[in-house]
Every structure is written in C-alpha cells, then in structure tokens.
Amino acid sequence: MTSSSLRVKGLTKRYGDFVALAPTSLDVAKGEFLTLLGPSGSGKTTLLSLIAGLAHPDEGHILVDDADVTHSPAYDRDIGVVFQNYALFPHMTVEDNIAFPLKMRKVADADLRRRTAEALETVRLPHVAKRYPRELSGGQQQRIALARCIVYRPAIILMDEPLGALDKKLRDQMQLEIKRIHRELGTTIIYVTHDQEEAMTMSDRICLMNAGAIEQLGTPEDLYFRPQSVFVADFLGESNLLSATVRQVDAQGLDIVLADQAAPSRAVGNGASFAAGEPIKLMVRPQNLHVEDAANGKLTGRLVDVMISGSMTRLYIAPERVDMPQLVAAYPTRSSAAPYEIGQLVSLDWNSADAVAIRDGRGH
Amino acid sequence: MTSSSLRVKGLTKRYGDFVALAPTSLDVAKGEFLTLLGPSGSGKTTLLSLIAGLAHPDEGHILVDDADVTHSPAYDRDIGVVFQNYALFPHMTVEDNIAFPLKMRKVADADLRRRTAEALETVRLPHVAKRYPRELSGGQQQRIALARCIVYRPAIILMDEPLGALDKKLRDQMQLEIKRIHRELGTTIIYVTHDQEEAMTMSDRICLMNAGAIEQLGTPEDLYFRPQSVFVADFLGESNLLSATVRQVDAQGLDIVLADQAAPSRAVGNGASFAAGEPIKLMVRPQNLHVEDAANGKLTGRLVDVMISGSMTRLYIAPERVDMPQLVAAYPTRSSAAPYEIGQLVSLDWNSADAVAIRDGRGH
Amino acid sequence: TPAIWSPSRAAGKRIVVRDDGGIYTKAYGAVFYRPFTDATGIEVVGVQANAEPVAQIKTMVDTKNYTWDMAKISWPAILLLTNGSKVYLEKHGLESEPVIKSIPAEFMSPYGVGTNVYTTVLAYRTDAFKGRKAPQSWADFWNVAEFPGRRAVRKHPFDTIEEALMGAGVPTAQVYPCDVDKAFASLDKIKSSVAVWWTSGAQVEQMLISGEIDLLPTWVSRPQSAQAAGAPVEIVWNQGIWGGDNWSILAGTPNADACREFIKFASDPKRQAALTEYFPAGLTQPEAFNYVKPELAKNCPTYPDNIKAGLKIDAKFWFDNQAAVIERFNSWILA
Amino acid sequence: MALAKAPAIEPGQLRTTARSRARSQAWTWAAMGGPLVLLLVFFLVYPVGQLLLLSIYNDSGFTLAPYRQLFASAVYIDVLLITLKISLATTLVCVVVGYPIAYLISVVGKDRKATLLFWVLLSFWTSFLVRAFAWIVLLGRNGVINKLLLSLGIISSPASLLFNFGSVLVGMVNALLPLAVLTMLSVMENIDRNLPRAAATLGARPGMAFWKIYFPLSLPGVAAAGIMVFVTAIGFFIVPALLGGRRETMITQLIIDQVQQTLNWGFAGAISVLLLIVVLIVFVAYDRLLGLSTMTGAAAPRRAAPSRLADPVQKIGDAVLTLLGMISDRIILALPSRRRDRNPEQAGLGLQAFVWTMLIIISAPTILMIPLSFGTGGLNWPPQGFTLHWYETVLHSPVWTQAFLRSLLVGLGTGGLAMLIGTPAAFLLVRSNVPGKAAWLAFILSPIVVPRMIIAVGMFYVFARMGLVGSAFGLILGHTVVAVPYVVMTMMAVLRNYDTRLDHAAQSLGARPFATLRHITFPILGAGMFSSFLFAFATSFDELTIALFATGGLNATLPKQFWDEVTLQVSPVIAAVSTCLFIFMGLLIFVAERLRRRAAAR
Ligand SMILES: Nc1ncnc2c1ncn2[C@@H]1O[C@H](COP(=O)(O)OP(=O)(O)OP(=O)(O)O)[C@@H](O)[C@H]1O
Ligand SMILES: Nc1ncnc2c1ncn2[C@@H]1O[C@H](COP(=O)(O)OP(=O)(O)OP(=O)(O)O)[C@@H](O)[C@H]1O
Ligand SMILES: [Mg+2]
Ligand SMILES: [Mg+2]
C-alpha cells in the first residue's frame, strides 16, 4: 500500500521581508484527507511547494514517515503534485504527459499504456490523448494535470485546486474519483480548494489558513458548527454574527443577551470557555434564521433583496436597529413558494441550539 | 455611457475536423449581464475569443451596436477581456499592468494613477502594486487581471471565469463589485463561470452551452425552474430525474404516472407542449424532495449516505425499485437536527408544484 | 585516414617543410618532395601556414616541439628570427657545397638558401590604354594626368614606399635608405586618385580580370594568372621590386641534417627548372634557365631582362624602420 | 505514536544541514561552471595572459613603453573608433533586419519554418572568404548589380558600390545576420502568444502591442544577439579589408601586423589591452542601459533596492517604447487599408515581403556561386561558357573531400564539446545566485573579444608543449574556446523565458535532475539548443586563424583549403565547392524534413 504520514514542524517561508508562511506545524496521518482552505494569498500554495520540495523553507522541518526530508530533492519524496496552473509539458501530447511519471519509474511499455489509458478514462478525456495541451480547454487541461498525478499513485498527493476550472457536474464526478482513489489506495491527500462545499464533503479534516498561519484545524463539523474565531465563522459558510454578552454559563450552554436588548436568550458554546459578562459574537447560519411574517421573532427587519442561487433562496434583511449588520436568511428554493415583497417588514427567529457563541477576541 | 449591444450570427469555429463552435447566434442587449455556462470544452472560451477578435471565425458575423465588426481587429472593438489564464504581462509590475489600457487611451498621468489605485482597491490588493505577476498567488493574479479589465470601462466586457481561483468570501465580494460596475456603468457583460450559484445570482440571462452549441438561453429562473431538456435540468443545479408518462394535459399542469407505478400524480410543465401518452422525465430538485419517516410518501428508499456541505445537508437515497437512479434530498443544515441513520428506510414526497415535466427527447 | 590525426609527427625518417601552399605545395611535391623521398627514403611533408610564420617558428623552437623542421621564409622573416638575443634558425653551413655555391650571393644568407624570388610589378589592363601610351614606370603610374585610369595601391607600406620614391623620380639605386618624408609627400600626390586600396592578391586578381581597376602595383603572380584566365593584362618588369624566399632550418631540430640534404637536393638547377612547368618560378640558379623554354623563362622574375631593371628589397632597412613606417602609413591613410 | 519516534532536531543540527547545503551548493556550482572556467583558464587566460604581459614586461623588466607608443600617435584611437563604428553599425543593422526575420520564423507553421531556416542558414555553409569575393563580384563596377542597373537604364555609368563603408557593412551583415536571427528566434519561440493578444483587447494597436509587450519580452534575445554580433564584429578584419576603402581599417588588422610583420609582441599586447578595455566599457554601458542582468536573470530582487539609476533609465525606455508604438501605429494607419478578412493569426504580407527580400539578399553570394561554378571566365560576371571542369577538379582531388570531412568532424566535435561545457554554465548563470554574474559574463565572452590571432598564437604555445599541435582534439579544443561564448549566451537568453515550474512539475513526478533536463528542459529549449549547437558548429566550420596555428598546417580544414586556393590563383573551384556544400546541405535538410513529416504522419 502506498501511503505515508507527514509531519511539518515550524515550517517558515519568507520572500524578502514578506512572510508568506509563518512558522507552521501540522501532522497528517497516513491515509488522511486534509484540506487546506483559506483566503487568496494565505500561503496554501507556499505550504504545498515546501512539502513537495519545490521551494526551500527558511526554517523548519518536513518529515515523511518520520524521515526528515527537508533537504531531499523533490524527485526523492514520492509526493505527487497537481499544480494550480496545471504545469503541463507543452511539447508533449496529453498521452505523453500522463505517461511521463511512469516512464520515470521505468514502468514496462504495456503496463504504461494501460495505466495511461485508464487515467484518461478516469478524467473522461480518452479522445484527446494525441492532442497537445494548448489544444485543450482550461478544464480539460486541469483534468489532464489530475490524471498525470494519480496515474503513478504516489504515497502522498498534494492537489492545488485540482477542480477549480471544472463545472459543478464534472466536479462532482471528479470528487468521487478522487475519493475513490483515496479510499482504494489509502493515499494521503492534502487538498487545496476554494469550494467550501467540496472541502466539507471530501475532507477528514480541514486546515483553515489565514495570512500565512493556521487559523483552525479540525473536522468539517468542528469548523462549521464550532468555529473558534469570528474569522472561521465568517470564512466557512455564510453566517450572521450578532454582538452579545454572556450572562451565565451552565452545562448545556449559555445565557446571553443580544447587544442593547433586554430579552435574554440561549446559545451553545463552540468548545471554548466563557465567563459571565464577556462580550461575544453570536453566530446564526442563514439557513437557521427563520423569517416569519408575524412580529414574534427575536429581531425584526426590512427585506432588502431576494436572491435565488440554485437550491437556496436568500433573503437579505436590514435590521430595524441601525448598528447591526445586514442579515441573511436562506431557505430551500421552491418554484411554488409564495414570493416575499421587497421592503416588507419581517420578523426573525432562530432555534437556540443553532446559535453558537464565539469569543470576540480576534476580528477579521 | 459606455455600453453596447452585441449580436452574433451563425458564428462557427473549427479546428481541423473538430467543430469547437457550431453555427451559433446570440443577441445580447445593451447593458445586459449574460452568463455562459456549460461543461468543460463546450466552446465557451472559443465563443469569447471570437467575439473579442482574438480568433478568426470560419463563418458567421459579429455585430456591435449593429456595426459588423467580424473583421475588425481586437483593439478596435472596445471589448474588454478577462482571460481564463490571466494573461498578465510578466515584464510589468502589477501597477503597470493595470495602467496599461489607460496608457493606450492616453489618459492623463494624474487620472491614470488615481484610477489604477482605485482598481487595486476594488480587488483589495493595494499592497502588491509594485510586485511582478510571478510574485503573486493564483487568486491574486486573477484579481489583477480583473482590475486590468475594469479599469478602463470598456463598452462590453467578456470575463472568462474571472473569479475561478477565489475563495467563497472574496468571490462574494468580487461579485458585488462586478455587479456594481455593471449597474453603475451599464456595461454589457458576458461572463463565463462554472459556479452555478454565481451564474444564477448575477445574470440577467444564462446561455447554457453544450458541445459547441447553445442548449438553452433564458433567465436564471427559466433555466432552473423550466429546463427545456434533461441536459439543462441535470447541469444547472442538482436534480432527481424520474421517468414518467403523461396521462393528461390541462391548463394548470399535467397528470402523470411514474414509470411502473399505478398511482397518478400531478406535475407542472416546462413551457413545452405535451401530448398524452408521451414519456417524460420528472424533475424534482433535492431541496423539494422531502424525507419522511413514515411510509406515506410517493416513493420509498434506503438512506445510503448523509453529507453536510455547508448550508445544506444532503441525503443520498437508493429507491426500493431497482431501475430508478439514486435520489438526493437536501435540507438546511442544523447542528440541532436529529441525525438520520444510514440504512434507514425513508419515504419520499414532493409538492406537485415542484415537480417539473421535461420532454425526454434528448438525453445526456 | 587516421594517420592524419596522430599527434604532430611520428619519429622516423621524415621532415616537415613549411611552404606557401596552393600551387607551391603542388609543384614542390612533384618536383622536390616525392623525388627526394624516392632518392633517400626520407619522407617530406609539405605544410602550409599563414604568411610570415615567425610566431610559429619561435614557439616551436622555444618549446622544442618541432612540428616543422624547416621552412620556406623571406628575408625579413630571417632577420626577425635571427636578430634577437636568441637565434631561432640553424646555420645551414652549405656555402661550400658545389650545388649551393652556384647560387648568386645576393640570394644567400647564413640562415637561408635562396630558392625563389618574388617581384612586385606594375600591371595594367591593355584595353584601358588602347590607342594611347601605356605606363612603363612608377613615374608613369604617378603621372595621373598623362596616364588616366582607375588605380589601386596596396594598403601597406611594404613596396609602396619604394614605389612612391621611384614615382617621385628617385633613381632605383638611390631608393635605399628610403627618404620616408619624401615618400609620403609623393603618396600625398596620388592619394586622391587611388580608387581602391587593396589588401590581398586574390582581390587584385579579381579586379584585374573584371576590369574594376586599370593599373596597379602587385605581385607578379597575380597579373600572370589573370593573363592565364584570358584577361587583357600587361606586366611592366621595369623597376620591379624583388625579394627572396629561402630554405631555412629551425634551430635545434633533430632532423637538421636531413634538411640539409633536402636543401641540396632542391637547389639542383634542373630541378628548379622543372618548377616552371607549374608556374613562372623565381629560379635562383642562373644555370636553371638552360633547361627552361624561352617563352616560359621570360615570365620568371629572375629572368635576366626582368631582374636587371629591378630593385632588390633591403630587408635590413625594413627591419630597422618598419614599426615607425607602418604606424605612419596607417595614420596617413586615415587622414 | 509517530511523535515519540520522530528524531529530535537540535538547533546545532539545523546549522550543520544549512552548512552542508551551502557546501553541496558550492560543489554543484563547481561541477557546472568548472569545466568552462578550466577550459578558458588553460587555453585562453594563461596563454593570452602571457602574451599580454609582454606589453608591460620586456627583457629589461617592467615597462610602459608600448602604452606610451600607443597614445603617442592618434592612429590607434582613430582605428579603434572606426572599428567601433563599423561594429556598432553592423550590430544595429543585424538586429533591426534580423528581428522581423526571427519573428516571422517564430510565428509560421512547422513546414514553413524549416524553409525559412534553410535560407537563413544558407550563408553559414559558404566560407566567409568566398562570400567576400562574391560581394566583390556583385557590387563591383562591372558587377552584377551595376550591369543590371545599366541595362535597365537606371544609371548611365557604373556606380561605386564597392570599397566603402556601405560595402563593408553589407559584407559584415551578411556574415553575422544568421547569428542575430537564430539568437533572437530562440527567445521568441518561448514567448506566450496570448500576451500580445491580451494587449490588443486592452486597446493596444499593433504597434503598441508590439513595442510595449512583445518587444520587451523578446529583449533578452535582442540583447544577446546585439552583444554577440557586436563582439564578433570587432574581431572581423578580412571582410572589411576586402570590401573596405581607404578608411575601413579594423584594429585587429593592426594587431596582426604587429604580430606577423614586426613581431612586436609588447605592442600587439598593448593594442589588445586597449581593445579589451574599450569592449569592457561598452559592455558596462550596455549593462547599465539595457541591463545584462535581464539575461542573467538577476531582475527579481530589483524591487528591494531600487537603484537611482535604473529608475529614470526605465522611464526613458518606457517613453521610447511608447513613442515607437505610436509612430508605428501612425504608419500602419497611413498604409493602404489591409484586406478586411485577414486572419489575425497570420503574419502580414508586408512582413513576409520584407523577410524574403532580406533572405534573398543575404543568400545572394551563395547563389551567385552557382552560375560562376560552371563558367570558364573566373569569378566574374557574367559567367562565360559552360564547363564541369571545376567540379571534376574538386571531386577528383582528395584534399577537398578530406578537408570537408575533417571540418565536419571538428565542427561536430566543437559543437558537442561547447554544448557540454557551455550549457551547464548558462544554467548556472541564470538559475543560481552566484555572485558577480556580469563579471562572469564578460569573462565568458572574452574569447570572442580577444583578437583571434593572439589566441591562436597563445594557444599554439600551449598546444606545442602538450603535443597537441596537429591533432584533431587540439583543434576541437581550440575551436571550443571561441565557440563556447555563443553557446552560453544563447542558452542564457533562452533560459530567461523558461517557465521553471515545468521543471518543478517534472521533479515532483519523479524525474531526477538529469531526466528533467533530458525530457523536459532540453526539448522545450530545443530551438535554443539547436541554435547554440549550430553557432558552435559554424564557428568551427568557418574558422581559419586557429586552424592554421593549431594544426601546424598539417591537416587542412575547409576554410584553410579555401584560403589556400586563393593565395596564388583565384579559380571557380571555390565556387564549385560552395555549390557542392549548398547542395549537400539542401539535401540534408530536405531528407530530414521528409523523415520528420513521415514520423509526424504516423
Ligand atoms: N487549438 C485547438 N486545437 C484543437 N482543438 C481545440 C483548440 N482549442 C480548443 N480546442 C477544443 O475546442 C473545444 C472548446 O474549447 P473551449 O476552450 O472553448 O472550451 P471551454 O468551454 O472554454 O472549456 P473550459 O470550461 O474547460 O475552459 C474543446 O474541446 C477543446 O479541446
Ligand atoms: N515570489 C514571490 N515573491 C514575493 N511574494 C510572493 C512570492 N510568491 C508568493 N508570494 C506571496 O506569498 C503569499 C502566499 O502566496 P500563496 O501562493 O501561497 O497563496 P495561496 O494561499 O496559494 O493563494 P491563492 O489561493 O490565491 O492561490 C501571497 O501574498 C503572495 O503574494
Ligand atoms: Mg495558490
Ligand atoms: Mg475555457
């Protein structure tokens, strides 16, 4: 079985004065599927290049199966990479591109052909085998880059947005393929994506990066339901963040009061410990914010906009109280749903089990 | 005001024997926001290149404001392009890249500086002004490409996945910016994206392409609620497609029977006319497929998988009747939701207003 | 043939002789080298190098790596190689040999046995002077008014200085030591009338044949080959400026004696005469003319009528003055 | 768990690994640059240095006499200025004329590319001596052009086309244009074609798009071509001597006079030193203006310390490019409007016409040799009679075939060795952060700058001691010394535009450095590698001076044989040989092309 564990200790990369990656430590278990998520420029590609041996860290160590590979050349690491910009070899046909890693491993000709053809099948592009990369569309190139990486089954695969240029349909299919490879071969995968849905459905754990450092590392549910910071709450999925103060903490949750409001309400914690009187942010996901016609909810506001974005229809609501940010509520799209009217006064409510308290220490 | 209408008549592009774009006609109104959507390799980039004057059509005409520009050079068309692979000038700093179109228009120095700075602000990258493109991350490069295009406010803007490399958060912000530019300047925009949500929320109309031809052209609601073909239903948003037969057509909708099932049910049409006895596909969106514990729904099946993908939690269900495809139901994610058990028998139901009949002529 | 690629030379009976290449190698091979090998068993290899190969000879002697054993070189070269603190040539010591003795002293020196004479002459196109008087002296060449025509002059002071003096009316006998000031004054007069400043013999030949030039001073072999190509060219032997080529032995070569044998062999009058079948050689053995057909003989630089009215180059003058004169000539020509 | 087993890493250990990395880096540098440095030190610096030292040392010790002599007369400075003028003019014309040619070659399809390249390379296969003569025949009073113009009634008496600055320029450009074209081509092949198109959508008319986008991207090629043509031109003397007039004297000629006629080594050394210093000054000025750093790849950290000089220069450069763009666009606008349905992906007719005109002009000498080789009237226009005599002479004489084979062998050897030694050095200069890159570059270029005669004499001295005189290996070594700068420069120019991410990709896919080079880097740099090899080969194939010395005259090479042929008599034999070479090369390329197409069809 080709699978390896990976450890990164205090890895740092600077470009001149600019710190692209602050000292970062990370453990990835054998066969784990870890996703790197984070804003553009947060150091995801940088971290991958260091792990792959394509850039030299200024400090820190990389261990593959407990062996220090910090100074090993890339070709000795058995780490496959799918590059963000594809990096297909322009002078080779698609077929030759995919066969390249097999050739480097001196795979016998018949085997090589078979596996190349298989990889092309996997990415659903058997008909472009003889073309050159410049004769492919963006998405086709990306799939070839993917095929070239999975064809030789490296122990660790790093994928830098391998599906970024694909449409939803194909993306879903490719996700299944990647998961299948992951499952069947037990390969350790570190995956970069901008698609949160993808990150949540595919990963064992998600590593959320921000400004060259790890912001939170945990299972998708951890990050989604128990974000450790406002940044995480805000970055992963949409969220309404309301200022509040802790009144009292008990085993089941917290008693809180929303800012400038007398009525107390309940919330659940995110795992951190809270003290009474502490100012917090209360996170309510849009799909958990219920809009009601009657004025019996926790908040009221005016409907600003309605947007259908596929399966969800979003309502944008300006709260009556001016110092609050705009709120978003979402509900499943139905062609048969009764339409709301822009400008209409609505009442908002949520289930206290869906309101998560977050320390207000770090803002974005 | 800089805005132009665009007409494309019978535009065709072949690469050798391969037809990248079959004769295609398309009208885009002044100030319209049109999105091209379609599988990888369906000819979106090809169409854009032809419109921009970067490739030469084999046949057909392009009219901008009713003037034939088919043979005008790119620089005469006043059509801005954001390239799929960015096409930033490697020998210029970010700043110079953005200032380039202004320089070409002999914009005065002070004005040029101001507008360049503004554009950098818009894409939230004022700090990288002096860097070279190779010193930027993928997402940063893409934003610079966007800034370079919007800075000079062309009458028509073509954008080939301008936000593909951005994370959700930034993407949302950039979407708002693009919409703002569209609104404020009235620019006509043709937009390519793989993100359906983006397509649905941003577009006036969506043009869905398939294999070098237009599959359906209409408003997002048209395409989402009234897909003209199985391909459209399948491509835009998730859908459950069930085989059925028309029993009877009336003003409000259709009486249908699901394949091999006796119980009749109702459905709405997609605008096409149906005849009794015609085989159709019945489309039910996952969010409209309700899962109930009790066995009183229209169908029953076994729960195969549950997946939380952010705001939606998806249930994958294998219907009891084997010849049916796997079904997907979705509901808003709640941390407080009672968990389903894998293998559990569930009953499925839907509102007949959410069941759309589609001619079964063309398959995928 | 792989033998060609073996390092410089194998030990054994072989001498390597530097000659001028081209037709010389061809003629010498047939007349001297192969017959000598047949007669003595010593192989002779003729090699070509650029003109005035003093640098090579110096290096070979300094490094004791004798790629060549002997060389055919000019008087100025002999002076350059023997006038410093180190002498780079072997004294041949053949003066008393009968076959050498018969060579006139003016062709001989302790370091070189005269084997050829070359002459710089005035040559002109007969078609340019059809129906009018053709030039017969350097004075005529300098007389632009009476002898109009496109002129070329060598872009180098060698010979040119002598021509200028004779052109200014200095008698042949009084040319040396050259009055350089006077020579340049004379050159000034003709400077503006010179259409081409030539630098190589091949160029001269081409210009004579194509009619680019009507009259010019040049090495006699060039107008001769122009004539052979059918060009209407005439040679003026009057006031020809001649110098000698010599067989010289590199100092310290282990094959010096074989070289001496070869020099003796190649100085044989009959053998020298045989060269004229290939080209009008400047035979140094007066006796050789006995074996040359008269119509060939009158083309030879050393044919008594030709050399009689000529001027022998004073190598010593040039050895002493060339640095200054070349520099002056170079600045003069740019002015 | 794994944690416990993980080796503890001490800070000290960290330092050691850093140090050992530095050490292994030093080794890599030595392995890559070492051979070139050794080659140059042994066969250039040491021998030539000894000769140059003679300019400050004589029998009586230290002296500056040669230098006093040098400045006592204005003539040396004058000749130097003339040399610079001719070289600069040659460089300018070569780059300006060569650029469109290279551009067209880079944009046309594979088939037409081969044809165009054939014509560019045609003059490579004709000895410089033959070409010079051909120009005399073409431009002479009774030459081809004058006869043509007279018969057309355009002129009434022959024009003076020969023996002036113009004819020198024609001859020099003819000799050096292929060098310029191939160098620029190798860079242009790697320019992303999307970028000028992007510029067009941003409103840049063709002129602007060219000058502000394409041109700057091709600049490394222009810079490399410029410097190589310039430095090579400085060393030319036979062509200017044959085609020039009274004033067209090259400094090298003076040096050779000192070596050959007066054996004044000290003074020859002094002139050489003057020449070297001037070239170095030109080099530095060039570096400041255009930036050799653009070629060494040291451009990235510019931002960190913006030099006060670089900024205004950059601004001026930008302004000049803008101006050029505007002017070009005006001109294009003024031209009669082009066909409306012109495909923007194809090159314009004007460009094609220009390129073909230029190619025909530079091929004229070679083509002229064909009719002359069948005539009986020598190298003269018009050819007279018809004879195959010259071909018989050539084909029956073993010396020509032997010389040809020998030149071919030495040329291939030189090409191979120069690539072997030069390519790693080019990689080192572009990819690594070795200090003092500009100085290294100057050092590497020095074999072209130092007069051939000086190198030849110095090398002869070394060869004589090593017993290499007359051996093929010696000759290959000698030629490699003068050919390797071309390889390094071309490869550097090409590497500048190379996307190193492809190398990274290959390594991550398991390719070791050598495999990466073999499968990825080299194939992608194919055009550049081919150019480099060709320069090295052509340099050797056409080299006379070193061949004369290094062989000791024992083994004639082709140029030597040509030279020999004209020393006593000019016959159309050289025309016949040129024609044979022309046919040979034509056939070779034709066959290669056929094979390539067959392979591609499969
Ligand atoms: N130069 C070419 N030679 C041959 N085929 C080409 C060439 N360029 C594009 N194609 C083909 O034309 C088709 C359409 O390509 P296009 O780039 O327009 O697709 P696209 O819709 O933009 O896809 P994507 O979403 O993946 O970018 C593809 O199948 C592609 O392989
Ligand atoms: N060569 C370089 N010189 C200077 N800064 C650089 C260089 N390469 C990257 N950076 C900076 O380092 C930071 C991290 O870049 P990186 O490519 O890792 O981002 P990323 O997380 O992959 O972003 P994206 O999602 O946009 O691809 C960015 O701010 C980028 O601008
Ligand atoms: Mg990245
Ligand atoms: Mg595309």
Side-chain angles (χ1 to χ4, degrees), chain A residues 70-250:
Chain A
T70 318
H71 303 295
S72 314
Y75 51 85
D76 269 349
R77 298 193 185 182
D78 197 25
I79 297 181
V81 185
V82 182
F83 290 84
Q84 189 168 14
N85 61 352
Y86 322 150
L88 296 178
F89 305 132
H91 63 299
M92 294 184 183
T93 60
V94 160
E95 199 170 48
D96 291 342
N97 260 285
I98 297 177
F100 184 80
L102 299 178
K103 280 212 187 102
M104 290 301 107
R105 284 164 182 75
K106 307 209 170 42
V107 172
D109 211 44
D111 199 21
L112 180 143
R113 270 164 214 273
R114 188 183 46 75
R115 285 167 66 178
T116 305
E118 268 175 27
L120 271 169
E121 286 288 346
T122 305
V123 297
R124 297 185 163 54
L125 284 173
H127 57 287
V128 303
K130 302 279 178 214
R131 286 206 208 158
Y132 285 89
R134 64 175 169 278
E135 298 168 345
L136 299 180
S137 78
Q140 288 166 340
Q141 290 183 38
Q142 191 163 54
R143 279 181 278 163
I144 299 306
L146 184 62
R148 188 178 64 177
C149 176
I150 58 178
V151 74
Y152 69 100
R153 308 180 169 179
I156 300 178
I157 299 185
L158 313 179
M159 301 188 176
D160 202 348
E161 295 198 51
L163 310 179
L166 304 186
D167 55 275
K168 181 91 187 77
K169 212 85 221 166
L170 198 56
R171 208 173 168 116
D172 285 346
Q173 292 169 353
M174 289 298 123
Q175 282 174 11
L176 289 179
E177 286 296 339
I178 291 173
K179 284 302 278 183
R180 186 177 60 80
I181 290 163
H182 177 233
R183 214 171 33 241
E184 285 178 11
L185 305 178
T187 317
T188 308
I189 295 183
I190 302 185
Y191 195 90
V192 172
T193 180
H194 284 134
D195 185 334
Q196 307 179 14
E197 232 173 82
E198 190 167 293
M200 292 201 57
T201 55
M202 294 185 76
S203 329
D204 293 326
R205 284 192 300 163
I206 293 177
C207 174
L208 184 59
M209 301 195 58
N210 185 22
I214 295 177
E215 185 83 21
Q216 185 172 351
L217 177 63
T219 63
E221 284 77 14
D222 269 349
L223 269 76
Y224 191 79
F225 295 119
R226 289 171 293 280
Q228 290 304 306
S229 64
V230 172
F231 176 82
V232 178
D234 202 41
F235 191 84
L236 195 75
E238 270 179 306
S239 55
N240 297 296
L241 290 162
L242 308 167
S243 298
T245 317
V246 177
R247 262 257 190 102
Q248 193 188 319
V249 186
D250 54 45

Side-chain angles (χ1 to χ4, degrees), chain C residues 321-332:
Chain C
N321 295 291
Q322 60 186 353
V325 176
I326 288 177
E327 183 174 291
R328 183 160 170 188
F329 185 85
N330 281 338
S331 61
W332 173 83

Side-chain angles (χ1 to χ4, degrees), chain A residues 15 18-20 38-47 84 160-161 192 194, chain B residues 127-128 131 134-140 143 165-166, chain D residues 303:
Chain A
Y15 292 109
F18 182 81
V19 182
S40 167
S42 58
K44 304 181 294 295
T45 301
T46 304
L47 178 56
Q84 189 168 14
D160 202 348
E161 295 198 51
V192 172
H194 284 134
Chain B
H127 58 288
V128 303
R131 287 206 206 158
R134 65 174 170 278
E135 298 168 344
L136 299 179
S137 78
Q140 288 166 340
R143 279 182 277 164
L166 304 187
Chain D
R303 191 166 36 90

Side-chain angles (χ1 to χ4, degrees), chain D residues 234-315:
Chain D
I234 278 186
F236 269 42
F237 66 94
I238 294 182
V239 171
L242 286 176
L243 299 178
R246 182 161 62 84
R247 288 186 54 84
E248 277 73 48
T249 306
M250 302 292 277
I251 193 99
T252 317
Q253 183 70 59
L254 300 191
I255 297 172
I256 285 168
D257 281 354
Q258 294 299 327
V259 173
Q260 282 194 338
Q261 312 285 3
T262 58
L263 212 64
N264 190 345
W265 287 103
F267 194 50
I271 308 179
S272 304
V273 168
L274 176 69
L275 176 63
L276 284 176
I277 289 174
V278 168
V279 170
L280 211 63
I281 291 170
V282 172
F283 210 74
V284 169
Y286 186 88
D287 183 28
R288 283 286 141 79
L289 278 175
L290 281 175
L292 285 171
S293 44
T294 57
M295 276 153 61
T296 57
R302 203 175 350 159
R303 191 166 36 90
S307 92
R308 245 163 287 130
L309 186 73
D311 214 36
V313 168
Q314 230 173 352
K315 279 226 179 78

Side-chain angles (χ1 to χ4, degrees), chain A residues 136-139 165, chain B residues 39-46 48 84 160-161 192 194:
Chain A
L136 299 180
S137 78
Chain B
S40 167
S42 57
K44 305 181 292 295
T45 301
T46 304
L48 288 197
Q84 191 168 13
D160 204 347
E161 296 198 52
V192 172
H194 284 134

